[in-house]
Amino acid sequence: MTSGVDEQSLERPDLAVYAARSAASRGRKHREEFRDHRPAFERDRDRIIHCAAFRRLEYKTQVFVNHEGDYYRTRLTHSLEVAQIGKAIARRLKLNEELTEALALAHDLGHTPFGHTGEEVLNRLMEGAGGFEHNLQSFRVVDELEERYPGFNGLNLSWEVREGIVKHSSPYDRPCGVIDEFLPGVVPTMEAQIINYADEIAYNNHDIDDGLKSGYITLEQLQGVTLWREVWERVGAAHPALDPERKKFQTISALIGVFIKDLTATTLANVRAFGIETLEDLRRVNRPVVALSPELAEKNRALKRFLLENLYRHYKVERMRVKAERYLTQLFESYLKHPTLLPRKYQQKMEILGRERVVCDYIAGMTDRFALDEFKRLFEPYERV
């Protein structure tokens, strides 16, 4: 143990009074003796980075399946971008950066292979057996499915990190349901609220980059999106000789800056308007404080509509979606009918958790690559098992 050091002395000294603090955490489910005095949220972040589910994000789809090219974002690179944006916002608001980073890196741990298609398929297949929601699956990963420590399953994360995972919400995520332990109906910390927006800022902007790189969307089409056009013209005015490729990158970077600046200013205005001086005030007021201004929120909705219509519903993305539905449905039905196809460790869990949930956990933990290989092993007669 490191002598003469405690969590409080290692925490950022200029945190806002309404920030979450490691030293004031509600603690962990299981008592542990630690080898050092890292602040609680810093320890949580490190545990998330080192867990198996985090490494598997490298080969899980964001929009483009892994084999479609090395350039495109994956769930891992997306999570890193969310962490970078989230920390930038937290720093400006003097919130807890370690808590923000831990939540960013954990928010997609439970995501399925093949992106939201995988989530929709598993939810349909699990009808009547508890359904599937990837925020709840992220919570299951950190609370139960990771097996690394003596005496308990899961990562034994702090209450505040677990609450933030449960209450993550964005246009493609909904809070995963009522868990009495985490103050149902009460807003989470501001650090958790940041992740809702950092997630969206990250995927909107990196999906533009990936969409342009793939050719599924074009710069000409983007000129019809007010927010993109305004920032594109601003970058052009600052750098009139810039070639289109570099101008694209600079516009995406500037767009992220626009969101961070607006979100910071709007959030600080809300803090003042709602009279929030402490974390307890935030819980008492019980209103989301982190927000975009109405003007930018409207422009952002137009950008999201463009991406939905032109990228996410592109016929080539749809083709992969249909194939992914078939792969996952056949895998699920085969495992359910023939549970001996699963590794023995999973078979042994069925008596406790039920056959459907174990099959669901197994498939949700797959990478795109593993799911495709498993499909070949099970259904292609000349493939080695």
Side-chain angles (χ1 to χ4, degrees):
M1 300 288 284
T2 304
S3 61
V5 180
D6 59 29
E7 286 188 8
Q8 191 166 0
S9 67
L10 290 172
E11 201 143 47
R12 178 175 164 178
D14 63 338
L15 287 175
V17 289
Y18 43 75
R21 286 170 167 77
S22 286
S25 171
R26 299 188 185 207
R28 305 176 189 274
K29 284 174 64 176
H30 308 283
R31 180 176 174 81
E32 292 185 73
E33 293 294 331
F34 298 123
R35 300 185 186 95
D36 55 51
H37 289 284
R38 275 173 290 169
F41 304 144
E42 180 181 328
R43 186 182 306 279
D44 293 340
R45 178 203 61 197
D46 297 347
R47 289 188 169 192
I48 290 161
I49 288 172
H50 288 284
C51 78
F54 183 74
R55 291 194 297 277
R56 285 196 292 267
L57 295 177
E58 181 177 4
Y59 296 107
K60 289 194 176 190
T61 295
Q62 184 65 26
V63 174
F64 296 90
V65 177
N66 178 256
H67 66 250
E68 295 182 89
D70 294 337
Y71 181 86
Y72 305 119
R73 268 70 169 191
T74 66
R75 287 284 159 189
L76 179 61
T77 57
H78 165 69
S79 296
L80 295 174
E81 291 184 24
V82 175
Q84 175 256 322
I85 292 168
K87 285 179 66 179
I89 297 167
R91 186 175 301 115
R92 286 158 177 77
L93 293 172
K94 295 186 178 180
L95 295 172
N96 195 303
E97 294 175 39
E98 283 76 22
L99 174 57
T100 305
E101 189 175 19
L103 289 169
L105 297 175
H107 86 283
D108 270 352
L109 289 179
H111 230 301
T112 61
F114 307 116
H116 289 286
T117 295
E119 181 173 19
E120 292 164 5
V121 170
L122 284 183
N123 189 45
R124 170 174 56 80
L125 293 169
M126 289 292 289
E127 187 176 357
F132 179 86
E133 200 280 331
H134 87 263
N135 291 317
L136 182 56
Q137 192 68 14
S138 295
F139 182 75
R140 281 177 58 72
V141 167
V142 303
D143 239 43
E144 184 64 32
L145 298 181
E146 285 284 333
E147 299 175 353
R148 306 179 66 85
Y149 300 98
F152 57 83
N153 287 341
L155 302 180
N156 198 28
L157 302 180
S158 301
W159 186 94
E160 291 76 11
V161 176
R162 296 164 64 235
E163 181 204 29
I165 293 171
V166 166
K167 293 181 178 178
H168 179 55
S169 177
S170 80
Y172 296 97
D173 303 278
R174 291 291 177 265
C176 66
V178 174
I179 297 181
D180 290 340
E181 181 183 355
F182 300 110
L183 307 177
V186 177
V187 296
T189 62
M190 287 177 64
E191 289 85 354
Q193 293 180 42
I194 283 174
I195 301 306
N196 298 336
Y197 285 92
D199 186 17
E200 186 174 337
I201 293 167
Y203 66 65
N204 280 346
N205 286 281
H206 64 49
D207 288 353
I208 291 173
D209 184 14
D210 287 354
L212 289 169
K213 186 71 172 181
S214 68
Y216 293 5
I217 60 175
T218 66
L219 287 170
E220 289 72 24
Q221 288 176 305
L222 276 165
Q223 290 303 312
V225 179
T226 300
L227 182 57
W228 173 269
R229 186 176 63 253
E230 289 175 350
V231 179
W232 175 269
E233 290 174 353
R234 194 181 312 157
V235 170
H239 306 281
L242 206 59
D243 65 83
E245 183 72 1
R246 297 191 188 206
K247 189 174 179 181
K248 174 194 73 174
F249 290 129
Q250 289 303 303
T251 301
I252 291 170
S253 177
L255 261 176
I256 293 172
V258 166
F259 280 109
I260 290 174
K261 182 178 180 181
D262 181 275
L263 189 79
T264 301
T266 306
T267 300
L268 288 173
N270 287 339
V271 166
R272 290 191 292 269
F274 299 155
I276 294 172
E277 296 183 356
T278 66
L279 182 54
E280 289 69 30
D281 288 340
L282 178 69
R283 305 285 194 181
R284 176 181 52 77
V285 171
N286 200 26
R287 292 178 62 179
V289 172
V290 179
L292 294 172
S293 67
E295 180 183 4
L296 186 57
E298 179 55 40
K299 291 178 180 179
N300 188 46
R301 284 191 287 270
L303 173 61
K304 291 191 292 185
R305 286 194 297 269
F306 170 84
L307 290 170
L308 177 64
E309 294 166 5
N310 295 279
L311 178 59
Y312 308 142
R313 290 178 178 168
H314 191 280
Y315 77 93
K316 290 185 178 180
V317 175
E318 281 290 288
R319 286 177 177 179
M320 192 62 233
R321 181 186 64 78
V322 171
K323 288 195 286 185
E325 284 184 355
R326 180 164 65 91
Y327 298 150
L328 296 182
T329 299
Q330 290 189 236
L331 286 174
F332 186 95
E333 291 173 348
S334 295
Y335 294 142
L336 202 62
K337 186 175 181 180
H338 306 287
T340 52
L341 293 172
L342 292 174
R344 185 171 298 277
K345 181 178 81 169
Y346 287 88
Q347 295 179 43
Q348 292 170 344
K349 295 180 178 182
M350 287 184 172
E351 189 172 337
I352 299 172
L353 299 176
R355 187 178 295 189
E356 289 87 353
R357 183 55 60 188
V358 171
V359 170
C360 183
D361 284 342
Y362 186 58
I363 291 177
M366 291 179 176
T367 63
D368 299 358
R369 185 168 63 178
F370 185 89
L372 291 170
D373 288 344
E374 187 75 343
F375 185 86
K376 291 178 183 177
R377 283 190 288 266
L378 292 180
F379 302 113
E380 292 188 9
Y382 294 104
E383 186 73 18
R384 291 182 181 272
V385 297

